[in-house]
């Protein structure tokens, strides 16, 4: 197909598709004439994935390019790919390298039997949260000063995360090609993380309204 | 206390504290002489909250200012405050206003009996995820073309979110002042959302390593 057809198939303006080609988020088509090329289904699929990373994941072009490079390398395992995606999604957490909080995170993960890569950015993200809670102090935040307190605080979240990971693995269809698997893993990790965040906010709002009232504006069902 | 003492108490450079004063993230101290002022515990507490919003929540100065304005208004309910915080955390989702996906979200929320404000940004975030899944198509993403499919996909996440919200409410200490309650709600919603995301990523990595292997680098426990 031509660039105009590709743009229509992907639901993106032609200028955007050209820009993705220029910055290397989309592989070039097969040249047919000067300034003309043919594109195929692989381009449509890739554009859909690019939209997920940029629009939903909020990634920079550089971050999305790193994820796509990992997607395209056959020797990158699913575990590594997730780490690359999580690194691209992760924001820098200035307090994520405090040794005491990193040790608390590692203790918690070991207790749960979770194996994660030591360079996993989520490990530092979690340490940054513990550091912020400790800095806030017991007046404004739950205590995190002992392993038991950390355990009490994090366990409901970890149990929820565990249940979700299990159900995702259970529901993953069998017999996927590596390409399909990898796309599903990336799209799933970006999109379903966003879905979980949105649902947590909605549950939080629902329960806050139940407990503390709706305030001046009346709530609406749904 | 003086500005230098405030800066030490909050663990922030003096220049940063001065900048927060200038952009209105911190209320002025009581003037004592030309270019001198006294600060108190309210300034220390506010600085801790500002760090949570900016460093962990990744909010812009404008977004953090909107949240703090709501924190300071005694007539803003906890439900409203959460909506303000969620709006400040939310990224724009270009596909969040597609009517079909918004209707699917509303149906799902009504079925679960969740009451949320119709202007809740999380509602649009969730619609944007459904729109992205639909655009990816059944080859690369789970199906979302019927209410039953949406229900099947979202229920594990919603159940997890519900359990977390319940346990947060159960664990909230009683007898807090409004100020303490509001600080806890904001800090908790920003920090524990980040904790949940980190734990979900870690669980995801753990299960991916279990199922698909660790790849070239060996995983480390914890």
């Amino acid at each position: 197909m031509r660039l105009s057809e590709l743009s229509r198939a992907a639901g993106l303006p032609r200028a955007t598709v050209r820009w993705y080609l220029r910055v290397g988020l989309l592989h070039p088509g097969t040249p047919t004439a000067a300034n003309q090329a043919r594109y195929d289904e692989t381009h449509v699929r890739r554009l859909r994935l690019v939209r997920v990373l940029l629009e939903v994941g909020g990634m920079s072009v550089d971050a999305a390019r790193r994820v796509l490079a990992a997607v395209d390398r056959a020797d990158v395992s699913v575990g590594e790919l997730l780490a690359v995606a999580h690194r691209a999604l992760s924001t820098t957490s200035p307090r994520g390298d405090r040794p005491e909080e990193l040790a608390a995170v590692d203790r918690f993960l070991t207790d749960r039997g979770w194996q994660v890569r030591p360079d996993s950015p989520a490990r530092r993200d979690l340490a940054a949260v513990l550091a912020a809670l400790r800095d806030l102090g017991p007046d404004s935040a739950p205590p995190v000063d002992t392993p038991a307190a950390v355990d009490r605080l994090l366990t409901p979240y970890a149990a929820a995360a565990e249940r979700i990971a299990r159900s995702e693995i259970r529901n993953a269809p069998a017999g996927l090609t590596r390409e399909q698997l990898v796309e599903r893993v990336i799209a799933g990790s970006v999109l379903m993380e966003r879905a979980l965040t949105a649902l947590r906010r909605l549950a939080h709002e629902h329960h806050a309204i139940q407990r503390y009232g709706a305030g001046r504006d009346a709530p609406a069902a749904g």
Side-chain angles (χ1 to χ4, degrees), chain A:
Chain A
M1 65 189 91
R2 304 159 65 125
L3 191 107
S4 56
E5 294 160 302
L6 173 62
S7 132
R8 211 166 25 243
L12 285 167
R14 259 181 286 181
T16 306
V17 176
R18 274 200 211 94
W19 184 64
Y20 289 167
L21 281 165
R22 203 158 55 231
V23 298
L25 288 174
L26 184 65
H27 46 294
T30 314
T32 50
N35 283 321
Q36 292 244 328
R38 289 235 155 265
Y39 302 92
D40 57 32
E41 260 319 297
T42 66
H43 294 89
V44 180
R45 289 178 75 122
R46 178 51 52 100
L47 282 176
R48 290 191 184 130
L49 197 55
V50 167
R51 284 189 75 181
V52 168
L53 301 181
L54 298 186
E55 288 181 14
V56 186
M59 290 184 194
S60 67
V61 167
D62 268 355
R65 211 158 29 196
R66 280 195 295 275
V67 172
L68 295 172
V71 164
D72 290 336
R73 282 183 46 190
D75 62 333
V76 170
S77 72
V78 171
E80 283 175 283
L81 190 61
L82 273 177
V84 171
H86 292 163
R87 200 165 300 119
L89 287 168
S90 184
T91 50
T92 36
S93 316
R95 281 179 283 196
D97 45 12
R98 295 213 315 218
E100 203 177 338
E101 275 80 15
L102 276 172
V105 167
D106 287 343
R107 193 164 41 222
F108 180 77
L109 296 177
T110 305
D111 284 355
R112 293 198 77 85
W114 286 8
Q115 282 196 316
V116 303
R117 300 163 54 89
D119 62 345
S120 167
R123 209 178 132 252
R124 296 186 68 243
D125 289 346
L126 194 54
V129 170
L130 293 182
L133 289 168
R134 185 189 298 265
D135 290 349
L136 279 172
D139 252 19
S140 317
V144 287
D145 48 344
T146 63
V150 169
D151 209 66
R152 209 162 30 240
L153 177 70
L154 294 185
T155 293
Y157 301 90
E162 177 95 51
R163 263 191 292 260
I164 287 170
R166 275 184 211 281
S167 95
E168 282 169 340
I169 296 238
R170 202 174 42 236
N171 295 335
L176 297 178
T177 64
R178 180 181 185 281
E179 192 192 3
Q180 287 176 322
L181 173 66
V182 154
E183 281 186 10
R184 270 186 176 255
V185 163
I186 293 296
S189 63
V190 175
L191 290 174
M192 297 320 290
E193 173 171 309
R194 178 59 61 99
L196 175 61
T197 303
L199 285 164
R200 156 156 158 86
R201 291 178 186 171
L202 292 166
H204 208 152
E205 289 179 28
H206 168 66
H207 282 284
I209 287 175
Q210 296 291 304
R211 180 160 183 188
Y212 303 108
R216 291 166 310 180
D217 309 36

